[in-house]
């Protein structure tokens, strides 16, 4: 398995956010990407807004029942999740 490029070594990185107004605290994100999300006060939040490419983050965003997680490619500004 190939390791994703690290944001600090010139590789692509993503900006990740959680809209706490939409989040219902289902915990799906923390289950799928435990290193990237945590629950606080009944809502999800990102551990770090800037992350290296990590497919588990996309899985979490696409699995969020409220589409509260946004993943944006840092260089291009392209929204990777949620998909329309």
């Amino acid at each position: 398995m190939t390791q994703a490029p690290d944001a600090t070594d010139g590789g692509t990185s993503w900006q990740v956010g959680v809209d706490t107004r939409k989040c219902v605290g289902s915990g799906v994100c923390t289950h799928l990407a435990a290193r990237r999300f945590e629950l606080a006060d009944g809502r999800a939040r990102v551990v770090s807004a800037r992350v290296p490419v990590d497919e588990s983050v996309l899985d979490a965003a696409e699995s969020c029942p409220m589409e509260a997680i946004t993943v944006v490619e840092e260089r291009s500004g392209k929204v990777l999740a949620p998909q329309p």
Side-chain angles (χ1 to χ4, degrees), residues 38-70:
E38 60 189 9
L39 290 178
D41 300 321
R43 302 283 190 255
R45 67 178 180 191
V46 293
V47 173
S48 175
R50 183 178 188 215
V51 300
V53 172
D54 183 342
E55 291 298 318
S56 70
V57 173
L58 282 182
D59 291 343
E62 291 298 333
S63 298
C64 177
M66 302 307 291
E67 294 187 341
I69 301 169
T70 304

Side-chain angles (χ1 to χ4, degrees), residues 14-42:
W14 294 341
Q15 290 291 321
V16 182
V18 175
D19 183 340
T20 56
R21 295 169 297 169
K22 290 182 178 180
C23 180
V24 295
S26 71
V28 170
C29 58
T30 59
H31 176 73
L32 294 172
R35 296 181 308 139
R36 307 294 181 201
F37 298 93
E38 60 189 9
L39 290 178
D41 300 321

